Each structure stands twice: as structure tokens, then as C-alpha cells.
Amino acid sequence: MRSEPMGLRESKKQETRQSISAHATRLFIEQGFESTTIAEIAAAARVAKKTVTNYFPRKEDLALDHHEEFVTSLAQAVADRDPGESALDSLRRAFDGAVQDQDPVAGFAGPDFSRMIADSPTLTARVRDLHDQREEALAQALAAATGADPGDIVPRAAAAQLGAAHRVLFQRIQELTLAGCDNARIAVHVAADAARVFGLLEPSLAHYATRAE
């Protein structure tokens, strides 16, 4: 018997993953994250419990299924910076693009999803952990970009400032969402907020980790 092409197998896996995540999110919103069980998610998605945990080892990842993209986003922006562009400018450009696109990874997740996170101590703690992981990934990217010696504290210090800026702006998006603002209105507010927040970092980081022309 001929095996299925890898592309088809991967496509089916992705469909299964998306189905599980969609059913899980619906149940989390309807019932609350803490009250929803893996068994209920498996039944809704018509898969075995083991299938759910194979795709999502942590229950939190069923709700925050873009966590890997979130964690790597700042480091990737620095890695992709243009010649003559500093880390600060690349991150500001990437954030402005995310606001323009109203990207869920940047926080534009809608009121139901945002309330689900706010109402769950477990998810709230997980989001904090993901912010910490994102900052650490950024520190590593900055160290690589500047050729810093192992143990050099400067990339960590810069990442702490840049990560904090993104954390504050993420929280701002969540606050406005929960206050009843739609995404278009939030984007206008946050674009102005971002200009002020990133502006505060210019005196110390305007030229840090600038890529050679």
C-alpha cells in the first residue's frame, strides 16, 4: 500500500489541531477555562483524550495556541531588521504593523477571548510567563545581533526595557478591549500610545543593535 504524501498527512494534522483548538476555545468561553475538562474538549472535537494531549501537552496551550509565535515575535523582528535599522526601530515598525493589521498575537483577540483570559488565574499566569519567555528570547537575539560576550548584561537590560514596552502595550489593548472598545478604535489609541512608549526608549536605545549598512 502506498503511503499518503507527507503534505496530505501534515494537512490533516493541521486540520485536527485547528479543530481541537476551536472547540476548546468555544468551551472555554462558554464554561470558563478552569471548569472545562480535556474530556469535554475531546468529545466536542470527536477525538480521543490522548489525541488532545498529543497536540496540546498543556491545557493552557489549547487557549493560547499561538504561544510559540508570540514568544519568538520580538526576537524575529530584531533578526529581520533592515540595514541601518536599530533594534528599537525594527520592533517599533513590527508593532505598528501588528496594530494596523489588528493582529490577535499582539492582543487584538476580541472581548470574549480577552474576558476568558482575565477571568482565569491559570491563563493570566500563563500570559505573564509567555511575556517572560519572549523577553528572554529577545535578549538572546540582541546578544547575537551585537556579538556580546557570554554573560554580558547589556542585552538582558535592553531586552527588559523593550519587553516591558511591549508588555504595557499588550495590557493596554486588553484593557481597552474589556472596556468595550472595538478593534478599530483600539488601534487608533494604541498607535498613539506606542509612539509615546517607544519614544521614551530613544535616549538609551536609539542606536543599539543597529544592523550594518
Side-chain angles (χ1 to χ4, degrees):
M1 179 181 295
R2 297 175 62 183
S3 61
E4 294 180 73
M6 180 61 72
L8 181 57
R9 290 202 301 272
E10 290 302 317
S11 177
K12 287 183 177 180
K13 287 181 180 179
Q14 186 61 29
E15 288 177 3
T16 300
R17 179 185 176 87
Q18 290 176 347
S19 175
I20 293 170
S21 178
H23 283 292
T25 300
R26 176 180 58 80
L27 289 172
F28 292 153
I29 290 173
E30 291 175 355
Q31 303 176 175
F33 177 83
E34 318 293 347
S35 300
T36 302
T37 67
I38 297 297
E40 289 173 322
I41 295 168
R46 298 183 178 181
V47 297
K49 285 177 60 177
K50 186 175 182 180
T51 301
V52 175
T53 55
N54 281 342
Y55 280 97
F56 300 95
R58 298 179 59 150
K59 184 182 173 185
E60 300 95 302
D61 293 341
L62 283 157
L64 305 170
D65 59 328
H66 295 293
H67 64 280
E68 293 178 353
E69 182 181 354
F70 180 87
V71 167
T72 60
S73 58
L74 304 188
Q76 191 62 52
V78 169
D80 293 343
R81 70 198 188 285
D82 294 330
E85 189 174 46
S86 69
L88 174 61
D89 287 341
S90 67
L91 289 167
R92 176 161 38 195
R93 176 169 57 84
F95 185 81
D96 288 345
V99 170
Q100 185 175 0
D101 295 340
Q102 298 174 19
D103 188 348
V105 176
F108 291 88
D112 292 338
F113 193 89
S114 297
R115 175 57 60 191
M116 175 192 73
I117 293 176
D119 288 345
S120 168
T122 302
L123 289 179
T124 299
R126 178 59 171 159
V127 169
R128 286 198 298 267
D129 179 54
L130 292 175
H131 277 292
D132 290 343
Q133 291 183 38
R134 184 166 70 161
E135 181 181 313
E136 176 59 30
L138 175 59
Q140 294 176 14
L142 292 172
T146 59
D149 293 330
D152 188 343
I153 199 171
V154 173
R156 291 166 52 195
Q161 295 177 63
L162 293 164
H166 283 82
R167 190 183 303 237
V168 167
L169 291 168
F170 182 92
Q171 291 169 344
R172 179 64 166 158
I173 294 170
Q174 296 299 292
E175 291 168 0
L176 291 170
T177 299
L178 294 174
C181 297
D182 61 29
N183 280 350
R185 185 178 174 190
I186 294 170
V188 172
H189 281 289
V190 173
D193 290 338
R196 297 171 65 192
V197 170
F198 288 121
L200 290 172
L201 301 180
E202 287 182 356
S204 58
L205 296 174
H207 304 292
Y208 180 69
T210 297
R211 170 163 279 174
E213 296 279 2

